[in-house]
């Protein structure tokens, strides 16, 4: 492999000749050969947006000349286009401040910028990192990446799911099925009402997530090393936040208290808590659907879901609720991720949280998995969900809990006697109510109407 020699404050080191990173990136590669997890692409893209905004703001405030600012902006655009992919190889399991990833981006921008300029124009620290510290750029990139990922990917996926459920709700008006509590038969429910519960879960989860975004819009930039803003010019923090807001079309602002912004990760933790809440509801929906679709002949069989692929390598014709399984596995992962985010967020020792790469990787994985799984579940399962009306009607006619309609007429105890007798004798509620002398057939038929019980 062809190499070139780069140097930093610790001396010289060989770097691959076909890569733009420098000495600090290479040292991180050597020192942190841990796992296969790399810094998420969303963080790199967010860093590119942040570095471009910083360069433009430094120029506007007179702390960087126009030529350097333009070159930095051009390289940032290349990063965002994907043309420099392959130059950001660092492990998640590195320094807890994310310093090496900040320097990775600084070095790539500087070396590529110098190549574009045809001269030694940029220094990764003096120019690309001007008015900044890794301690305020990484949490800023984290917030930018998190907010963009949630608003651009997860929110639209949830809105599509909610709209699909709304359509199903409308289409199933008047379809009566058996309600179930404790996995036991309960009183009747309209299938549209059952779907409305799923829809409301999605809509409420979406509302919680959108509420939790507010904290992510607060940016740490301007706090530099410990929150005091050392080496950061007056006006920089507010101006750079406004620049990022304009570029992303999201309402980013400068954090009011930079000591909080550097040491606490409560905003990310709060937002991930909303993701966990969503995962809990999605798990419930997926489980409801696979239970209702169980069978097709020896289960509940009350709904039909799309048959997307063969379900068995040995049993011909078997089809499984695979979208439900995929979604529920994602939900389990997100719930586990929430534990990691919570623990990592607690490690804000003195003036800096030092678990930020873990938080970034875990949070963004949760958003990515939920976005993809929700979209997949909606298009490959919900869109084709159909009620088995005959099976629903059969079950409604057989459920003993229709006896609940008799309680106001013959009393709870007498109604219980009817239900127990019907269950013991394998007869109908109607037969037993008449046999026990509580009602005539006509009175029973007038009182027990499933369509009036929903």
């Amino acid at each position: 492999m062809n190499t070139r020699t780069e140097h930093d404050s610790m001396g010289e080191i060989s770097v691959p000749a076909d890569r733009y990173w420098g000495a600090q990136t290479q040292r991180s590669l050597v020192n942190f050969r841990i796992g296969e997890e790399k810094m998420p692409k969303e963080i790199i893209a967010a860093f590119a947006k942040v570095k471009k905004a910083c360069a433009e703001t430094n120029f506007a405030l007179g702390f960087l000349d126009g030529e350097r600012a333009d070159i930095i902006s051009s390289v940032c655009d290349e990063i965002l286009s994907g043309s420099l992919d392959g130059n950001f190889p660092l492990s998640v399991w590195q320094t807890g401040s994310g310093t090496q990833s900040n320097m990775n981006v600084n070095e790539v921008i500087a070396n590529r910028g110098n190549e574009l300029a045809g001269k030694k124009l940029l220094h990764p620290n003096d120019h690309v990192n001007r008015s900044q510290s890794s301690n305020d750029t990484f949490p800023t990139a984290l917030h930018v990446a998190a907010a963009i990922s949630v608003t651009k990917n997860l929110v639209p996926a949830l809105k599509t799911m909610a709209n699909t459920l709304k359509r199903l709700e409308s289409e199933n008006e008047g379809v009566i099925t058996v309600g179930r509590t404790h996995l036991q038969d309960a009183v009747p429910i309209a299938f549209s009402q059952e779907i409305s519960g799923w829809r409301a879960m999605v809509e409420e989860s979406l509302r919680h997530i959108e509420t939790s975004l507010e904290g992510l819009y607060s940016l740490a930039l301007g706090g530099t090393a410990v929150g005091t803003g050392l080496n950061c010019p007056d006006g920089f923090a507010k101006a750079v936040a406004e620049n990022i807001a304009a570029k992303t079309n999201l309402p980013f602002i400068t954090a009011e208290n930079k000591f909080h912004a550097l040491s606490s990760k409560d905003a990310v933790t709060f937002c991930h808590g909303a993701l966990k809440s969503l995962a809990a509801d999605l798990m419930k929906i997926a489980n409801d659907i696979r239970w209702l679709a169980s069978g097709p002949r020896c289960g509940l069989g009350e709904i039909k879901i799309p048959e997307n692929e063969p379900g068995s390598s040995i049993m011909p014709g078997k089809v499984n609720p695979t979208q439900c399984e995929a979604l529920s596995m994602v939900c389990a992962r997100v719930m586990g991720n929430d534990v990691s985010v919570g623990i990592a967020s607690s490690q804000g020792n003195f003036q800096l949280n030092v678990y930020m790469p873990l938080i970034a990787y875990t949070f963004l994985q949760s958003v990515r998995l939920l976005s993809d799984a929700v979209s997949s579940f909606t298009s490959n399962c919900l869109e084709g969900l159909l009620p088995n009306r005959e099976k629903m009607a059969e079950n409604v006619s057989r459920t003993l809990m229709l006896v609940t309609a008799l309680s106001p007429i013959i009393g709870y105890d007498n109604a219980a006697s009817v239900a127990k007798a019907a269950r013991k004798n394998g007869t109908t509620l109607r037969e037993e109510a008449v046999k026990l002398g509580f009602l005539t057939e006509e009175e029973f038929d007038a009182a027990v109407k499933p369509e009036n019980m929903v």
Side-chain angles (χ1 to χ4, degrees):
M1 179 178 67
N2 293 328
T3 63
R4 69 177 190 278
T5 300
E6 288 274 352
H7 72 275
D8 58 12
S9 60
M10 298 188 71
E12 295 183 342
I13 189 171
S14 295
V15 173
D18 61 345
R19 294 291 183 262
Y20 289 111
W21 67 69
Q24 291 196 49
T25 303
Q26 190 64 33
R27 293 190 197 283
S28 184
L29 279 172
V30 171
N31 293 330
F32 297 97
R33 296 173 178 173
I34 304 172
E36 297 179 349
E37 296 81 6
K38 304 303 180 185
M39 193 59 63
K41 62 183 180 180
E42 297 94 336
I43 289 292
I44 303 304
F47 259 121
K49 290 182 174 69
V50 169
K51 296 297 177 180
K52 181 172 183 175
C54 287
E56 292 174 351
T57 304
N58 276 320
F59 169 68
L61 295 176
F63 289 90
L64 192 67
D65 63 87
E67 183 181 13
R68 287 188 171 92
D70 288 344
I71 290 290
I72 291 172
S73 294
S74 295
V75 179
C76 289
D77 288 339
E78 289 187 356
I79 293 173
L80 292 170
S81 75
S83 64
L84 294 180
D85 289 355
N87 284 280
F88 307 100
L90 296 188
S91 173
V92 169
W93 318 111
Q94 54 164 280
T95 178
S97 62
T99 297
Q100 289 141 9
S101 283
N102 179 49
M103 286 307 303
N104 179 200
V105 175
N106 289 338
E107 289 173 343
V108 170
I109 292 173
N111 285 332
R112 173 58 178 159
N114 290 336
E115 182 179 71
L116 290 174
K119 57 184 177 181
K120 193 78 170 178
L121 183 69
L122 298 177
H123 186 280
N125 298 82
D126 295 338
H127 305 119
V128 185
N129 203 61
R130 177 160 292 183
S131 308
Q132 308 153 57
S133 163
S134 299
N135 296 355
D136 65 355
T137 57
F138 197 98
T140 296
L142 169 57
H143 276 209
V144 170
I148 290 175
S149 296
V150 170
T151 57
K152 306 303 182 188
N153 298 317
L154 182 56
V155 167
L158 290 173
K159 288 182 177 179
T160 299
M161 175 179 269
N163 287 334
T164 298
L165 289 168
K166 191 176 295 184
R167 173 182 64 78
L168 289 170
E169 186 181 343
S170 176
E171 290 175 355
N172 287 280
E173 286 282 351
V175 179
I176 309 300
T177 186
V178 176
R180 294 177 176 89
T181 58
H182 302 273
L183 294 181
Q184 304 295 304
D185 299 348
V187 295
I189 184 175
F191 188 42
S192 59
Q193 292 172 327
E194 187 166 19
I195 296 170
S196 77
W198 301 338
R199 172 186 53 77
M201 288 178 198
V202 175
E203 291 174 343
E204 278 297 287
S205 290
L206 178 57
R207 186 177 66 83
H208 296 156
I209 290 168
E210 290 179 327
T211 298
S212 74
L213 286 170
E214 182 180 352
L216 295 180
Y217 293 137
S218 184
L219 301 182
L221 266 179
T224 64
V226 295
T228 60
L230 180 67
N231 292 346
C232 179
D234 290 341
F236 177 86
K238 183 175 184 294
V240 77
E242 291 173 350
N243 187 303
I244 294 171
K247 281 181 167 54
T248 59
N249 200 30
L250 292 173
F252 290 109
I253 58 172
T254 188
E256 181 179 348
N257 188 310
K258 300 297 189 295
F259 307 104
H260 166 260
L262 267 62
S263 61
S264 173
K265 295 290 147 286
D266 52 4
V268 182
T269 307
F270 182 54
C271 187
H272 198 280
L275 301 184
K276 180 184 71 173
S277 178
L278 167 65
D281 277 343
L282 291 175
M283 180 81 83
K284 182 261 194 294
I285 294 170
N287 282 335
D288 279 358
I289 288 174
R290 61 175 163 180
W291 273 108
L292 291 173
S294 61
R297 292 190 175 180
C298 299
L300 294 178
E302 290 188 348
I303 63 172
K304 301 172 184 177
I305 56 178
E307 299 183 352
N308 296 322
E309 64 274 319
S312 173
S313 62
I314 188 173
M315 293 174 281
K318 193 173 191 296
V319 179
N320 297 327
T322 51
Q323 289 295 320
C324 297
E325 292 161 5
L327 178 60
S328 58
M329 284 192 289
V330 163
C331 293
R333 179 68 181 196
V334 171
M335 292 175 191
N337 281 352
D338 194 66
V339 176
S340 294
V341 170
I343 293 173
S345 181
S346 72
Q347 301 305 301
N349 303 314
F350 300 114
Q351 277 71 59
L352 185 68
N353 180 284
V354 290
Y355 280 52
M356 284 189 287
L358 169 60
I359 294 172
Y361 179 84
T362 307
F363 183 96
L364 292 168
Q365 183 191 61
S366 290
V367 176
R368 195 181 311 117
L369 288 174
L370 285 169
S371 302
D372 291 348
V374 165
S375 295
S376 179
F377 187 76
T378 300
S379 61
N380 295 314
C381 183
L382 290 181
E383 288 287 353
L385 187 151
L386 294 170
N388 185 340
R389 297 185 181 220
E390 294 77 14
K391 184 65 174 177
M392 287 182 177
E394 177 191 345
N395 286 345
V396 169
S397 70
R398 295 173 61 235
T399 177
L400 297 176
M401 290 305 102
L402 292 177
V403 78
T404 306
L406 298 181
S407 291
I409 300 171
I410 65 174
Y412 183 95
D413 291 340
N414 289 336
S417 296
V418 171
K420 290 179 179 179
R423 183 175 183 182
K424 178 182 178 181
N425 298 327
T427 54
T428 66
L429 294 172
R430 189 172 185 263
E431 290 174 287
E432 294 299 335
V434 173
K435 183 189 300 184
L436 291 169
F438 295 131
L439 295 162
T440 66
E441 291 181 348
E442 292 75 18
E443 288 172 332
F444 180 93
D445 292 341
V448 182
K449 293 181 180 294
E451 64 273 17
N452 294 337
M453 299 176 69
V454 299

